[in-house]
Amino acid sequence: ASSGQDKALGATLLLSSVALFLYYTIWALIMPFVDDGHPLHEYFPDRSYAIKIPVVILLVGLTVVFTFLSLVMIKSNSSKKSVKKA
Amino acid sequence: FCTATASHLSKMTKATETATFFAIISAIYFTFLFGIIPLPEIVQREILPVLPWWALITFGSYSLGNIGYHVYRFRDCEDAYHELMAEIQLAKEDLRSKNVSTEDNVL
């Protein structure tokens, strides 16, 4: 059977992804229909962030992916050159 | 709904099919976004601009949740592990003999 640590990691990942989905769905799609005085609004930041935060995440994610790709390509190029020279 | 693909009827690759799907969804979305087909005021102003980002977040949570679920349910198989490690060793020696680099660190 998979180790306890594995199970804990998997369960944490699963539950936090569900929580993230529910929070964001309520924030982005449901809150516009909730009247302005309702106490529920206290749990959610300003809705402009519902767009700003995914944009930042997407940009950071793409930057990481392309940086990793470039580093791998540069490394394989330089090791190819050193193999050819040798 | 994964069985309802166009590929087996027309000669479409999965990539073409995915691209077509996104093209159709984008066309519908932009039709509403640019007001070509009107929608209620709140929906138009508050919901529509947020939808692509909601789709991105939903896709991200689904991916993470899927991984988490399978990590949670994975059953260790001791024998398969040893067999796999032995196979990796064989493959590495084989490649090394044919002069292919078997370095571990990519970065």
mmCIF file with all atom_site columns, all heavy atoms in Angstrom, chain A residues 24-40:
data_model
loop_
_atom_site.group_PDB
_atom_site.id
_atom_site.type_symbol
_atom_site.label_atom_id
_atom_site.label_alt_id
_atom_site.label_comp_id
_atom_site.label_asym_id
_atom_site.label_entity_id
_atom_site.label_seq_id
_atom_site.pdbx_PDB_ins_code
_atom_site.Cartn_x
_atom_site.Cartn_y
_atom_site.Cartn_z
_atom_site.occupancy
_atom_site.B_iso_or_equiv
_atom_site.pdbx_formal_charge
_atom_site.auth_seq_id
_atom_site.auth_comp_id
_atom_site.auth_asym_id
_atom_site.auth_atom_id
_atom_site.pdbx_PDB_model_num
ATOM 1   N N   . TYR A 1 24 ? -13.198 30.148 -5.809  1.00 0.00 ? 24 TYR A N   1
ATOM 2   C CA  . TYR A 1 24 ? -13.109 31.016 -6.979  1.00 0.00 ? 24 TYR A CA  1
ATOM 3   C C   . TYR A 1 24 ? -14.433 31.075 -7.725  1.00 0.00 ? 24 TYR A C   1
ATOM 4   O O   . TYR A 1 24 ? -14.822 32.126 -8.215  1.00 0.00 ? 24 TYR A O   1
ATOM 5   C CB  . TYR A 1 24 ? -11.991 30.555 -7.922  1.00 0.00 ? 24 TYR A CB  1
ATOM 6   C CG  . TYR A 1 24 ? -11.750 31.554 -9.017  1.00 0.00 ? 24 TYR A CG  1
ATOM 7   C CD1 . TYR A 1 24 ? -10.970 32.677 -8.786  1.00 0.00 ? 24 TYR A CD1 1
ATOM 8   C CD2 . TYR A 1 24 ? -12.347 31.414 -10.270 1.00 0.00 ? 24 TYR A CD2 1
ATOM 9   C CE1 . TYR A 1 24 ? -10.772 33.622 -9.777  1.00 0.00 ? 24 TYR A CE1 1
ATOM 10  C CE2 . TYR A 1 24 ? -12.157 32.355 -11.259 1.00 0.00 ? 24 TYR A CE2 1
ATOM 11  C CZ  . TYR A 1 24 ? -11.369 33.461 -11.008 1.00 0.00 ? 24 TYR A CZ  1
ATOM 12  O OH  . TYR A 1 24 ? -11.186 34.400 -11.978 1.00 0.00 ? 24 TYR A OH  1
ATOM 13  N N   . THR A 1 25 ? -15.138 29.927 -7.816  1.00 0.00 ? 25 THR A N   1
ATOM 14  C CA  . THR A 1 25 ? -16.422 29.933 -8.521  1.00 0.00 ? 25 THR A CA  1
ATOM 15  C C   . THR A 1 25 ? -17.417 30.850 -7.824  1.00 0.00 ? 25 THR A C   1
ATOM 16  O O   . THR A 1 25 ? -18.085 31.664 -8.467  1.00 0.00 ? 25 THR A O   1
ATOM 17  C CB  . THR A 1 25 ? -17.000 28.513 -8.605  1.00 0.00 ? 25 THR A CB  1
ATOM 18  O OG1 . THR A 1 25 ? -16.073 27.681 -9.287  1.00 0.00 ? 25 THR A OG1 1
ATOM 19  C CG2 . THR A 1 25 ? -18.317 28.494 -9.350  1.00 0.00 ? 25 THR A CG2 1
ATOM 20  N N   . ILE A 1 26 ? -17.498 30.741 -6.491  1.00 0.00 ? 26 ILE A N   1
ATOM 21  C CA  . ILE A 1 26 ? -18.419 31.616 -5.765  1.00 0.00 ? 26 ILE A CA  1
ATOM 22  C C   . ILE A 1 26 ? -18.010 33.078 -5.953  1.00 0.00 ? 26 ILE A C   1
ATOM 23  O O   . ILE A 1 26 ? -18.838 33.946 -6.243  1.00 0.00 ? 26 ILE A O   1
ATOM 24  C CB  . ILE A 1 26 ? -18.434 31.257 -4.261  1.00 0.00 ? 26 ILE A CB  1
ATOM 25  C CG1 . ILE A 1 26 ? -18.983 29.861 -4.064  1.00 0.00 ? 26 ILE A CG1 1
ATOM 26  C CG2 . ILE A 1 26 ? -19.272 32.268 -3.488  1.00 0.00 ? 26 ILE A CG2 1
ATOM 27  C CD1 . ILE A 1 26 ? -19.002 29.394 -2.634  1.00 0.00 ? 26 ILE A CD1 1
ATOM 28  N N   . TRP A 1 27 ? -16.719 33.345 -5.831  1.00 0.00 ? 27 TRP A N   1
ATOM 29  C CA  . TRP A 1 27 ? -16.229 34.715 -5.945  1.00 0.00 ? 27 TRP A CA  1
ATOM 30  C C   . TRP A 1 27 ? -16.555 35.305 -7.317  1.00 0.00 ? 27 TRP A C   1
ATOM 31  O O   . TRP A 1 27 ? -17.102 36.401 -7.439  1.00 0.00 ? 27 TRP A O   1
ATOM 32  C CB  . TRP A 1 27 ? -14.717 34.701 -5.715  1.00 0.00 ? 27 TRP A CB  1
ATOM 33  C CG  . TRP A 1 27 ? -14.065 36.037 -5.611  1.00 0.00 ? 27 TRP A CG  1
ATOM 34  C CD1 . TRP A 1 27 ? -14.646 37.222 -5.293  1.00 0.00 ? 27 TRP A CD1 1
ATOM 35  C CD2 . TRP A 1 27 ? -12.688 36.303 -5.803  1.00 0.00 ? 27 TRP A CD2 1
ATOM 36  N NE1 . TRP A 1 27 ? -13.716 38.215 -5.272  1.00 0.00 ? 27 TRP A NE1 1
ATOM 37  C CE2 . TRP A 1 27 ? -12.499 37.688 -5.582  1.00 0.00 ? 27 TRP A CE2 1
ATOM 38  C CE3 . TRP A 1 27 ? -11.577 35.513 -6.131  1.00 0.00 ? 27 TRP A CE3 1
ATOM 39  C CZ2 . TRP A 1 27 ? -11.259 38.293 -5.673  1.00 0.00 ? 27 TRP A CZ2 1
ATOM 40  C CZ3 . TRP A 1 27 ? -10.341 36.122 -6.228  1.00 0.00 ? 27 TRP A CZ3 1
ATOM 41  C CH2 . TRP A 1 27 ? -10.190 37.498 -6.009  1.00 0.00 ? 27 TRP A CH2 1
ATOM 42  N N   . ALA A 1 28 ? -16.198 34.549 -8.386  1.00 0.00 ? 28 ALA A N   1
ATOM 43  C CA  . ALA A 1 28 ? -16.299 35.116 -9.734  1.00 0.00 ? 28 ALA A CA  1
ATOM 44  C C   . ALA A 1 28 ? -17.714 35.064 -10.301 1.00 0.00 ? 28 ALA A C   1
ATOM 45  O O   . ALA A 1 28 ? -18.156 36.001 -10.966 1.00 0.00 ? 28 ALA A O   1
ATOM 46  C CB  . ALA A 1 28 ? -15.340 34.396 -10.668 1.00 0.00 ? 28 ALA A CB  1
ATOM 47  N N   . LEU A 1 29 ? -18.446 33.970 -10.035 1.00 0.00 ? 29 LEU A N   1
ATOM 48  C CA  . LEU A 1 29 ? -19.710 33.775 -10.736 1.00 0.00 ? 29 LEU A CA  1
ATOM 49  C C   . LEU A 1 29 ? -20.951 34.022 -9.886  1.00 0.00 ? 29 LEU A C   1
ATOM 50  O O   . LEU A 1 29 ? -22.022 34.272 -10.415 1.00 0.00 ? 29 LEU A O   1
ATOM 51  C CB  . LEU A 1 29 ? -19.771 32.351 -11.320 1.00 0.00 ? 29 LEU A CB  1
ATOM 52  C CG  . LEU A 1 29 ? -18.645 31.978 -12.287 1.00 0.00 ? 29 LEU A CG  1
ATOM 53  C CD1 . LEU A 1 29 ? -18.881 30.581 -12.850 1.00 0.00 ? 29 LEU A CD1 1
ATOM 54  C CD2 . LEU A 1 29 ? -18.539 32.975 -13.419 1.00 0.00 ? 29 LEU A CD2 1
ATOM 55  N N   . ILE A 1 30 ? -20.826 33.920 -8.565  1.00 0.00 ? 30 ILE A N   1
ATOM 56  C CA  . ILE A 1 30 ? -22.030 34.010 -7.728  1.00 0.00 ? 30 ILE A CA  1
ATOM 57  C C   . ILE A 1 30 ? -22.130 35.379 -7.055  1.00 0.00 ? 30 ILE A C   1
ATOM 58  O O   . ILE A 1 30 ? -23.218 35.947 -6.972  1.00 0.00 ? 30 ILE A O   1
ATOM 59  C CB  . ILE A 1 30 ? -22.023 32.902 -6.646  1.00 0.00 ? 30 ILE A CB  1
ATOM 60  C CG1 . ILE A 1 30 ? -21.721 31.553 -7.264  1.00 0.00 ? 30 ILE A CG1 1
ATOM 61  C CG2 . ILE A 1 30 ? -23.321 32.906 -5.887  1.00 0.00 ? 30 ILE A CG2 1
ATOM 62  C CD1 . ILE A 1 30 ? -22.841 30.583 -7.271  1.00 0.00 ? 30 ILE A CD1 1
ATOM 63  N N   . MET A 1 31 ? -20.982 35.924 -6.576  1.00 0.00 ? 31 MET A N   1
ATOM 64  C CA  . MET A 1 31 ? -21.029 37.171 -5.817  1.00 0.00 ? 31 MET A CA  1
ATOM 65  C C   . MET A 1 31 ? -21.667 38.354 -6.547  1.00 0.00 ? 31 MET A C   1
ATOM 66  O O   . MET A 1 31 ? -22.291 39.181 -5.899  1.00 0.00 ? 31 MET A O   1
ATOM 67  C CB  . MET A 1 31 ? -19.623 37.568 -5.325  1.00 0.00 ? 31 MET A CB  1
ATOM 68  C CG  . MET A 1 31 ? -19.038 36.644 -4.263  1.00 0.00 ? 31 MET A CG  1
ATOM 69  S SD  . MET A 1 31 ? -20.217 36.159 -3.015  1.00 0.00 ? 31 MET A SD  1
ATOM 70  C CE  . MET A 1 31 ? -20.290 37.632 -2.010  1.00 0.00 ? 31 MET A CE  1
ATOM 71  N N   . PRO A 1 32 ? -21.541 38.454 -7.896  1.00 0.00 ? 32 PRO A N   1
ATOM 72  C CA  . PRO A 1 32 ? -22.231 39.585 -8.550  1.00 0.00 ? 32 PRO A CA  1
ATOM 73  C C   . PRO A 1 32 ? -23.726 39.619 -8.291  1.00 0.00 ? 32 PRO A C   1
ATOM 74  O O   . PRO A 1 32 ? -24.346 40.679 -8.337  1.00 0.00 ? 32 PRO A O   1
ATOM 75  C CB  . PRO A 1 32 ? -21.953 39.348 -10.041 1.00 0.00 ? 32 PRO A CB  1
ATOM 76  C CG  . PRO A 1 32 ? -20.734 38.529 -10.077 1.00 0.00 ? 32 PRO A CG  1
ATOM 77  C CD  . PRO A 1 32 ? -20.737 37.697 -8.843  1.00 0.00 ? 32 PRO A CD  1
ATOM 78  N N   . PHE A 1 33 ? -24.307 38.452 -8.009  1.00 0.00 ? 33 PHE A N   1
ATOM 79  C CA  . PHE A 1 33 ? -25.745 38.407 -7.800  1.00 0.00 ? 33 PHE A CA  1
ATOM 80  C C   . PHE A 1 33 ? -26.130 38.597 -6.350  1.00 0.00 ? 33 PHE A C   1
ATOM 81  O O   . PHE A 1 33 ? -27.313 38.619 -6.019  1.00 0.00 ? 33 PHE A O   1
ATOM 82  C CB  . PHE A 1 33 ? -26.294 37.076 -8.314  1.00 0.00 ? 33 PHE A CB  1
ATOM 83  C CG  . PHE A 1 33 ? -26.072 36.892 -9.790  1.00 0.00 ? 33 PHE A CG  1
ATOM 84  C CD1 . PHE A 1 33 ? -25.077 36.050 -10.259 1.00 0.00 ? 33 PHE A CD1 1
ATOM 85  C CD2 . PHE A 1 33 ? -26.837 37.585 -10.712 1.00 0.00 ? 33 PHE A CD2 1
ATOM 86  C CE1 . PHE A 1 33 ? -24.859 35.889 -11.616 1.00 0.00 ? 33 PHE A CE1 1
ATOM 87  C CE2 . PHE A 1 33 ? -26.623 37.434 -12.073 1.00 0.00 ? 33 PHE A CE2 1
ATOM 88  C CZ  . PHE A 1 33 ? -25.629 36.581 -12.530 1.00 0.00 ? 33 PHE A CZ  1
ATOM 89  N N   . VAL A 1 34 ? -25.141 38.705 -5.464  1.00 0.00 ? 34 VAL A N   1
ATOM 90  C CA  . VAL A 1 34 ? -25.435 38.878 -4.044  1.00 0.00 ? 34 VAL A CA  1
ATOM 91  C C   . VAL A 1 34 ? -25.527 40.372 -3.734  1.00 0.00 ? 34 VAL A C   1
ATOM 92  O O   . VAL A 1 34 ? -24.643 41.135 -4.114  1.00 0.00 ? 34 VAL A O   1
ATOM 93  C CB  . VAL A 1 34 ? -24.323 38.216 -3.191  1.00 0.00 ? 34 VAL A CB  1
ATOM 94  C CG1 . VAL A 1 34 ? -24.522 38.519 -1.726  1.00 0.00 ? 34 VAL A CG1 1
ATOM 95  C CG2 . VAL A 1 34 ? -24.313 36.721 -3.433  1.00 0.00 ? 34 VAL A CG2 1
ATOM 96  N N   . ASP A 1 35 ? -26.585 40.785 -3.043  1.00 0.00 ? 35 ASP A N   1
ATOM 97  C CA  . ASP A 1 35 ? -26.803 42.203 -2.750  1.00 0.00 ? 35 ASP A CA  1
ATOM 98  C C   . ASP A 1 35 ? -25.651 42.791 -1.958  1.00 0.00 ? 35 ASP A C   1
ATOM 99  O O   . ASP A 1 35 ? -24.992 42.093 -1.190  1.00 0.00 ? 35 ASP A O   1
ATOM 100 C CB  . ASP A 1 35 ? -28.099 42.392 -1.971  1.00 0.00 ? 35 ASP A CB  1
ATOM 101 C CG  . ASP A 1 35 ? -29.298 41.914 -2.783  1.00 0.00 ? 35 ASP A CG  1
ATOM 102 O OD1 . ASP A 1 35 ? -29.296 42.122 -4.000  1.00 0.00 ? 35 ASP A OD1 1
ATOM 103 O OD2 . ASP A 1 35 ? -30.209 41.320 -2.177  1.00 0.00 ? 35 ASP A OD2 1
ATOM 104 N N   . ASP A 1 36 ? -25.442 44.083 -2.119  1.00 0.00 ? 36 ASP A N   1
ATOM 105 C CA  . ASP A 1 36 ? -24.235 44.725 -1.593  1.00 0.00 ? 36 ASP A CA  1
ATOM 106 C C   . ASP A 1 36 ? -24.089 44.684 -0.083  1.00 0.00 ? 36 ASP A C   1
ATOM 107 O O   . ASP A 1 36 ? -22.990 44.688 0.439   1.00 0.00 ? 36 ASP A O   1
ATOM 108 C CB  . ASP A 1 36 ? -24.160 46.189 -2.062  1.00 0.00 ? 36 ASP A CB  1
ATOM 109 C CG  . ASP A 1 36 ? -23.555 46.279 -3.450  1.00 0.00 ? 36 ASP A CG  1
ATOM 110 O OD1 . ASP A 1 36 ? -22.768 45.372 -3.788  1.00 0.00 ? 36 ASP A OD1 1
ATOM 111 O OD2 . ASP A 1 36 ? -23.855 47.222 -4.185  1.00 0.00 ? 36 ASP A OD2 1
ATOM 112 N N   . GLY A 1 37 ? -25.198 44.649 0.658   1.00 0.00 ? 37 GLY A N   1
ATOM 113 C CA  . GLY A 1 37 ? -25.080 44.700 2.106   1.00 0.00 ? 37 GLY A CA  1
ATOM 114 C C   . GLY A 1 37 ? -24.803 43.352 2.748   1.00 0.00 ? 37 GLY A C   1
ATOM 115 O O   . GLY A 1 37 ? -24.460 43.270 3.915   1.00 0.00 ? 37 GLY A O   1
ATOM 116 N N   . HIS A 1 38 ? -24.902 42.285 1.979   1.00 0.00 ? 38 HIS A N   1
ATOM 117 C CA  . HIS A 1 38 ? -24.851 40.926 2.526   1.00 0.00 ? 38 HIS A CA  1
ATOM 118 C C   . HIS A 1 38 ? -23.510 40.642 3.201   1.00 0.00 ? 38 HIS A C   1
ATOM 119 O O   . HIS A 1 38 ? -22.459 40.961 2.653   1.00 0.00 ? 38 HIS A O   1
ATOM 120 C CB  . HIS A 1 38 ? -25.090 39.936 1.379   1.00 0.00 ? 38 HIS A CB  1
ATOM 121 C CG  . HIS A 1 38 ? -25.521 38.582 1.819   1.00 0.00 ? 38 HIS A CG  1
ATOM 122 N ND1 . HIS A 1 38 ? -24.652 37.673 2.380   1.00 0.00 ? 38 HIS A ND1 1
ATOM 123 C CD2 . HIS A 1 38 ? -26.734 37.981 1.808   1.00 0.00 ? 38 HIS A CD2 1
ATOM 124 C CE1 . HIS A 1 38 ? -25.320 36.567 2.666   1.00 0.00 ? 38 HIS A CE1 1
ATOM 125 N NE2 . HIS A 1 38 ? -26.567 36.726 2.341   1.00 0.00 ? 38 HIS A NE2 1
ATOM 126 N N   . PRO A 1 39 ? -23.501 40.004 4.399   1.00 0.00 ? 39 PRO A N   1
ATOM 127 C CA  . PRO A 1 39 ? -22.246 39.694 5.115   1.00 0.00 ? 39 PRO A CA  1
ATOM 128 C C   . PRO A 1 39 ? -21.295 38.819 4.319   1.00 0.00 ? 39 PRO A C   1
ATOM 129 O O   . PRO A 1 39 ? -20.079 38.837 4.579   1.00 0.00 ? 39 PRO A O   1
ATOM 130 C CB  . PRO A 1 39 ? -22.710 38.969 6.380   1.00 0.00 ? 39 PRO A CB  1
ATOM 131 C CG  . PRO A 1 39 ? -24.135 38.611 6.151   1.00 0.00 ? 39 PRO A CG  1
ATOM 132 C CD  . PRO A 1 39 ? -24.689 39.613 5.205   1.00 0.00 ? 39 PRO A CD  1
ATOM 133 N N   . LEU A 1 40 ? -21.809 38.050 3.332   1.00 0.00 ? 40 LEU A N   1
ATOM 134 C CA  . LEU A 1 40 ? -20.941 37.159 2.559   1.00 0.00 ? 40 LEU A CA  1
ATOM 135 C C   . LEU A 1 40 ? -19.802 37.913 1.875   1.00 0.00 ? 40 LEU A C   1
ATOM 136 O O   . LEU A 1 40 ? -18.707 37.395 1.683   1.00 0.00 ? 40 LEU A O   1
ATOM 137 C CB  . LEU A 1 40 ? -21.788 36.439 1.503   1.00 0.00 ? 40 LEU A CB  1
ATOM 138 C CG  . LEU A 1 40 ? -21.273 35.086 1.002   1.00 0.00 ? 40 LEU A CG  1
ATOM 139 C CD1 . LEU A 1 40 ? -21.040 34.144 2.161   1.00 0.00 ? 40 LEU A CD1 1
ATOM 140 C CD2 . LEU A 1 40 ? -22.261 34.468 0.033   1.00 0.00 ? 40 LEU A CD2 1
#
